């Protein structure tokens, strides 16, 4: 008995170390040469810029300076000023992004399931639907958002119909509302939700679903106990890839919103940079946004995370 | 030595038809685990050699070291007298039939087979590859992709892909593991035939003892990184030298006893009050506590006591009898020893029913003796 | 009855979601035939003239050409660098592993507006003039992160025994890479490249921060949106969508036919 346990343990070690060994065998510098150019690129044009942004967020405006002139300093009050002025906007951004993420999940999961599982045997149709998920990128995100604005406009068919059946008050609007902004966010980031879930469900072994049915699970139970847990890492990646860009987006808010109760943090950062020419303020807000998203993401990963995202 | 002169002659002719393979003091250590421990092995040219052992015993690691896919931590490897320890895989005159075949999925069957020849810049790569495919009777499937072949067909492609290069040593890493029983038997015969035809040195790694015994000229049983015993299949089966070999290669009844005397090259052993005889030459240890072994089929089982002089005798109660068609298998509880397994051909006789007392006897020449310090269960669960 | 409902609910919901995805594209397509004049807001009658003269509106084709060039260049660079990084990370052991992991994941977790702002700060700091080069650099940064993650998954999924088999069959490391590893990774690399191009072509926010006076197609539309988007933009949006669809569908049909033919042969 003991020799068997030993054998088992031995085998496991054997496997793991064989993997290590493969990496070990390819010592030499090839690995570094492969990784280095890309990593230098990311260091120069990602890590360093973020640090520059951090430094810039602490700059101060010297007395009597021209517009856009700032000097290096440690002006931590920039953060206080910005947070005090814009915390509701920041909260709203996260709130909108959260609702959009949940909606995108509800809409996107059936899409992914349809393509990955139901159409598994229908190669051609599956391929076409898959293309339809990516092709909208080419018709331009802003053009599509603008199209929604037109479709939902007061004179548009949908608003008129809703008014006719009194679902919308006669003086009501569909555009320029928080609902329109959230709908736009949901629409625009939907492919980012569907693609990871699709990639995951595509590998789902459908015999497991049959096994579940065989073991007296009804379709709903099969879904919640088998399908959903097995696609969890896809859902996980999809929600992150939707939430993060949605929280920082400003196109939907500026095209579909009304700038009073729909302003999102991205709009503020943009206007601080380009209209107010308050670089430190904009940098401080950017940094606050980045750090709060990172904190949320880390909490989320801790709570639900799998390593598969890596 | 006959094989030695043969190899020298071969080498002199410059033929690539198989070569001696020699492993000297091979060790393979992973982080905190010893996979192969001080292995010495000589495989004479042209032999069909099987490395047999349970999973995790180091046999695949050994094979990978011969192929050059792993570097030994210590020791050296030579093929046909040439030290290849430092030679990378692609420069070794060795080819492998991988477990689950590792056929290139993006190439056709023919391209797969021609791959090695093209790397060696063989001008006749394509015709040779075609001929190799014909040899394994897959010429008509040359343009298919591997995924479109059945398991048995893929296995033949893998074999053709390795053989076509005429390596000095051909390595087979559990090549039949993924096939069903019937196909396995068929492929075993074909492999053996091909090996005899081409005369290459084959090293076959397997955990299937029957496969090793039917195919190989020489079998090495490996356990925990060491070779337990090496020899022709019959010798290994008839005279196991360790409890692991006795249990892993076929079944054995192992009984503990104490040597009580020796006369005429026969040891007499006291096993729970019974006097068991065994040839001293068949015992690893000849004094003190030893383990006595006998293969199940060597036992005679009958309802009456065998009184022939010089036979070993035991008696017990039938605990289990299972009918398997040609034979009936019995488990007999012998007082002070435990369960003894045996079987009888179904020739109409009925030596005993459940709960009845029966008598066992066997010729002492079949008995073997092992070290008393070993566990009688070694190798039972792995088999 | 219940069974039936279960069978239809996914196709219906999924189908509706696809319709939802395509509604604005249909709208864009229809309004590309609008005899719009200056603003393409309400329907004024059918015309072919926008399609006959897609470059009719000022700067629309220039911005398209810019976007295509930037997309192509950024994709090539990001795919090449990203694939190398992915290979290096999976296959080789080296120091600073955790730091490199963070450096890869962080760009994906950074909102575009922050990345755009950070790059702008960096370019201002370096004193570089904003334009074509700065756009390409910024696009490479966010595309590369996607390429690394996609290709890395492919490399990890690759059966190492195939490479061992190649080495066993006398292929030196270089040949092994080009004859075995690379062809097997290619579908993943192509998928990553397509996604890169799509994201680069459609990016507005990061581009807006780092483009200076260079127009890209999304930027052109954003600027035009305040005054009314010319119908030619709809033509180009529709044409690009249809082109993308056509290219991939033709590729799909070809591989589908090939597969069917092979199945038949068997």
């Amino acid at each position: 008995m003991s020799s068997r346990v030993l054998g088992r343990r031995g085998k496991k070690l054997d496997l793991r170390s064989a993997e290590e060994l493969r990496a070990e065998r390819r010592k030499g510098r090839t690995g570094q040469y492969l990784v280095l150019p890309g990593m230098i690129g990311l260091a120069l044009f990602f890590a360093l810029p973020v640090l520059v942004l951090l430094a810039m967020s602490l700059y101060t405006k010297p007395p009597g300076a021209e517009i856009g002139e700032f000097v290096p300093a440690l002006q931590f009050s920039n953060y206080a000023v910005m947070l005090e002025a814009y915390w509701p906007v920041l909260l709203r951004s996260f709130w909108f992004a959260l609702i959009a993420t949940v909606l995108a999940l509800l809409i996107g999961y059936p899409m992914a399931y349809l393509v990955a599982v139901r159409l598994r045997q229908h190669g051609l149709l599956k391929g076409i639907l898959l293309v339809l998920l990516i092709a909208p990128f080419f018709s331009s995100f802003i053009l599509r958002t603008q199209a929604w604005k037109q479709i939902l406009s007061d004179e548009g068919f949908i608003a008129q119909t809703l008014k006719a059946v009194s679902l919308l008050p006669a003086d009501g609007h569909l555009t320029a509302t928080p609902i329109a902004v959230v709908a736009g966010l949901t629409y625009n980031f939907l492919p980012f939700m569907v693609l990871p879930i699709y990639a995951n469900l595509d590998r789902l072994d459908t015999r497991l679903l049959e096994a579940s049915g065989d073991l007296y699970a009804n379709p709903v139970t099969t879904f919640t106990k088998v399908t959903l847990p097995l696609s969890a890492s896809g859902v996980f990646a999809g929600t992150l890839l939707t939430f993060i860009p949605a929280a920082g987006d400003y196109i939907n808010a500026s095209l579909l919103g009304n700038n009073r109760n729909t302003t999102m943090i991205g709009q503020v950062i943009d206007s601080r940079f380009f209209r107010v020419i308050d670089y430190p303020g904009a940098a401080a807000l950017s940094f606050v946004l980045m750090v709060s998203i990172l904190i949320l993401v880390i909490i989320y990963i801790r709570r639900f995370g799998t390593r598969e995202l890596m | 030595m006959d094989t030695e002169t043969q190899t020298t002659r071969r080498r002199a002719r410059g033929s690539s038809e198989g070569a001696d393979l020699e492993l000297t003091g091979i060790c393979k250590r992973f982080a905190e685990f010893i996979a192969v421990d001080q292995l010495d092995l000589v495989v004479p040219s042209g032999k069909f050699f099987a490395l047999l052992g349970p999973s995790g015993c180091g046999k695949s690691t050994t094979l990978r070291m011969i192929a050059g896919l792993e570097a030994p931590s210590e020791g050296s490897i030579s093929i046909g007298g040439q030290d290849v320890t430092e030679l990378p895989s692609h420069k070794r005159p060795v080819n492998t039939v991988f477990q689950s075949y590792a056929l290139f999925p993006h190439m056709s069957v023919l391209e797969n087979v021609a791959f090695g020849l093209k790397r060696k810049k063989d001008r006749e790569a394509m015709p040779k590859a075609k001929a190799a495919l014909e040899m394994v009777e897959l010429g008509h499937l040359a343009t298919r992709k591997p995924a479109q072949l059945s398991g048995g067909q893929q296995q033949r492609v893998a074999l053709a892909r390795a053989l076509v290069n005429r390596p000095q040593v051909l390595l087979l890493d559990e090549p039949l593991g993924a096939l069903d029983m019937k196909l396995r038997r068929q492929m075993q015969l074909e492999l053996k035939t091909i090996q005899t035809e081409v005369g290459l040195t084959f090293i076959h790694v397997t955990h299937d003892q029957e496969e090793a015994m039917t195919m190989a000229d020489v079998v090495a049983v490996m356990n925990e990184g060491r070779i337990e015993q090496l020899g022709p299949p019959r010798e290994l089966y008839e005279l196991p030298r360790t409890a692991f070999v006795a249990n892993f290669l076929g079944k054995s009844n192992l009984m503990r006893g104490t040597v009580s005397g020796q006369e005429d090259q026969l040891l007499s052993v006291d096993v729970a009050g019974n006097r068991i005889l065994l040839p001293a030459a068949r015992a690893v240890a000849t004094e003190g506590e030893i383990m006595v072994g006998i293969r199940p089929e060597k036992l005679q089982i009958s309802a009456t006591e065998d009184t022939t002089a010089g036979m070993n005798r035991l008696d017990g109660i039938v605990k289990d009898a299972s009918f398997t068609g040609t034979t009936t298998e019995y488990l007999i509880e012998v007082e002070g020893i435990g369960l003894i397994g045996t079987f009888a051909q179904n020739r109409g006789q009925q030596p005993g029913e459940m709960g009845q007392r029966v008598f066992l006897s066997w010729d002492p020449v079949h008995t073997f003796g092992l070290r008393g310090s070993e566990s009688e269960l070694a190798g039972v669960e792995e088999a | 009855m219940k069974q039936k409902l279960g069978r239809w609910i996914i196709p219906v919901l999924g189908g509706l979601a696809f319709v939802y995805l395509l509604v604005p594209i249909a709208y864009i397509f229809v309004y590309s035939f609008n005899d719009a004049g200056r603003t393409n807001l309400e329907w004024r009658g059918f015309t072919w003239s926008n399609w006959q003269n897609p470059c009719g509106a000022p700067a629309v084709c220039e911005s398209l050409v810019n976007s295509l060039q930037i997309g192509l260049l950024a994709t090539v660079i990001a795919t090449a660098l990203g694939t190398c990084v992915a290979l290096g990370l999976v296959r080789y052991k080296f120091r600073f592993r955790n730091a490199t992991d963070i450096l890869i994941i962080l760009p994906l977790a950074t909102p575009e507006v922050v990345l755009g702002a950070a790059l702008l700060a960096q370019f201002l700091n370096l004193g570089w003039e904003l334009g074509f080069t700065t756009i390409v650099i910024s696009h490479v940064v966010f595309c590369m992160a996607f390429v690394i993650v996609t290709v890395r998954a492919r490399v990890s999924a690759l059966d190492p025994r195939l490479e061992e088999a190649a080495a066993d069959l006398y292929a030196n490391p270089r040949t092994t890479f080009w004859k075995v590893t690379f062809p097997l990774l290619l579908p993943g690399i192509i998928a990553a490249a397509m996604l890169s191009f799509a994201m680069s072509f459609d990016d507005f926010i990061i581009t807006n921060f780092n483009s200076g006076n260079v127009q890209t197609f999304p930027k052109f539309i954003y600027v035009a949106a305040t005054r009314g988007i010319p119908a030619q933009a709809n033509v180009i949006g529709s044409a690009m969508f249809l082109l993308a669809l056509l290219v991939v569908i033709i590729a799909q049909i070809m591989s589908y036919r090939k597969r069917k033919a092979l199945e038949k042969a068997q």
Side-chain angles (χ1 to χ4, degrees), chain B residues 76-377:
Chain B
S76 68
I77 301 170
S78 75
I79 295 167
Q82 190 205 348
D83 187 340
V84 298
T85 319
E86 299 296 318
L87 221 52
S89 180
H90 65 273
K91 291 185 180 159
R92 294 194 188 190
V94 167
N95 287 115
T96 310
V97 177
F98 286 83
Q99 193 175 13
S100 68
Y101 323 130
L103 298 177
F104 305 123
H106 59 299
M107 295 180 195
S108 72
V109 165
L110 186 65
E111 285 169 321
N112 261 285
V113 178
F115 190 89
L117 293 171
K118 281 190 183 164
R119 303 288 85 73
K120 292 202 291 185
K121 307 255 184 285
D122 191 318
R123 288 185 179 197
E124 291 163 61
M126 279 307 181
K128 280 186 183 172
K130 268 185 195 139
L133 270 180
E134 295 294 345
M135 185 187 74
V136 296
E137 291 168 5
L138 287 176
H140 58 295
L141 298 179
T143 55
R144 295 272 179 92
K145 290 275 169 71
Q148 295 170 296
L149 304 185
S150 69
Q153 290 170 333
Q154 288 186 24
Q155 205 277 335
R156 286 160 199 242
V157 175
L159 186 64
R161 185 177 73 171
L163 271 178
V164 74
N165 304 296
R166 292 289 150 152
Q168 298 187 357
V169 179
L170 185 78
L171 307 174
L172 301 119
D173 188 3
E174 308 230 9
L176 308 176
L179 306 181
D180 64 50
M181 192 66 97
K182 204 176 146 201
L183 208 52
R184 252 179 115 119
R185 294 283 169 261
Q186 190 192 332
M187 288 307 300
Q188 284 173 9
L189 290 176
E190 285 185 29
L191 264 180
K192 182 70 195 163
T193 318
I194 288 171
Q195 193 264 338
T196 325
E197 273 171 19
V198 297
L200 298 178
T201 312
F202 274 38
I203 313 252
H204 183 147
V205 156
T206 179
H207 65 267
D208 181 335
Q209 40 115 352
E210 207 179 320
E211 190 172 297
M213 286 200 281
T214 41
M215 294 168 79
D217 303 317
V218 183
V219 176
V221 179
M222 269 190 94
N223 183 33
E224 291 182 350
R226 290 201 179 89
I227 289 185
E228 293 260 336
Q229 194 175 344
L230 183 151
R234 181 177 290 273
E235 184 187 308
L236 245 55
Y237 183 81
E238 297 295 351
L239 188 55
R241 308 304 273 179
T242 68
F244 183 86
V245 176
N247 288 321
F248 189 75
L249 204 69
K251 284 179 182 169
S252 292
N253 294 303
L254 299 180
M255 302 164 264
R256 287 183 182 281
T258 316
V259 177
S260 55
Q262 179 171 0
E263 50 188 271
D264 290 347
Q265 303 300 313
L266 279 182
L267 290 179
S268 73
V269 184
D270 176 20
V271 179
N274 302 286
R275 184 164 168 269
I276 305 290
L277 298 173
L278 85 143
R282 289 176 61 85
V284 181
T286 52
E287 50 195 27
E289 197 191 318
I290 68 166
M291 197 142 49
V292 174
I294 182 72
R295 295 287 189 184
E297 74 281 2
K298 303 292 191 308
L299 295 169
Q300 295 274 358
I301 176 168
S302 85
T304 52
E305 192 161 10
D306 179 356
T307 51
T308 324
M311 294 292 271
N312 285 326
R313 277 182 284 270
L314 290 172
D315 64 279
I317 309 288
V318 176
K319 282 284 165 193
D320 188 46
S322 45
F323 179 73
T324 65
T326 50
T327 62
T328 306
E329 295 183 9
Y330 294 94
L331 276 180
I332 289 132
E333 169 103 55
V334 179
E335 209 187 328
I337 295 177
L339 288 173
I340 298 281
T342 182
F343 50 83
Q345 299 278 333
N346 288 321
R347 297 200 192 100
Q349 87 287 23
Q350 192 86 37
E353 286 180 28
M354 293 279 279
Q356 277 186 336
R357 177 163 297 271
V358 290
F359 298 90
L360 299 168
S361 63
W362 72 93
D363 189 329
V365 297
H366 298 306
T367 322
F368 51 88
L370 306 173
R371 257 181 215 95
S373 54
E374 285 200 84
S375 157
E376 58 263 53
L377 291 176

Side-chain angles (χ1 to χ4, degrees), chain A residues 80-125:
Chain A
V81 172
M82 284 296 129
L83 272 178
E84 202 182 343
Y86 295 112
W87 69 267
V89 178
L90 194 65
L91 274 187
R92 183 189 296 135
S93 301
F94 287 139
W95 180 232
F96 281 7
L98 181 69
I99 302 174
T101 305
V102 173
L103 287 176
L105 179 61
L106 292 178
I107 299 169
Y109 201 99
M111 293 170 92
Y113 191 88
L114 176 68
V115 179
V117 181
R118 283 301 177 85
L119 295 178
R120 197 170 280 183
Q121 307 301 330
H122 304 78
L124 198 54
L125 186 57

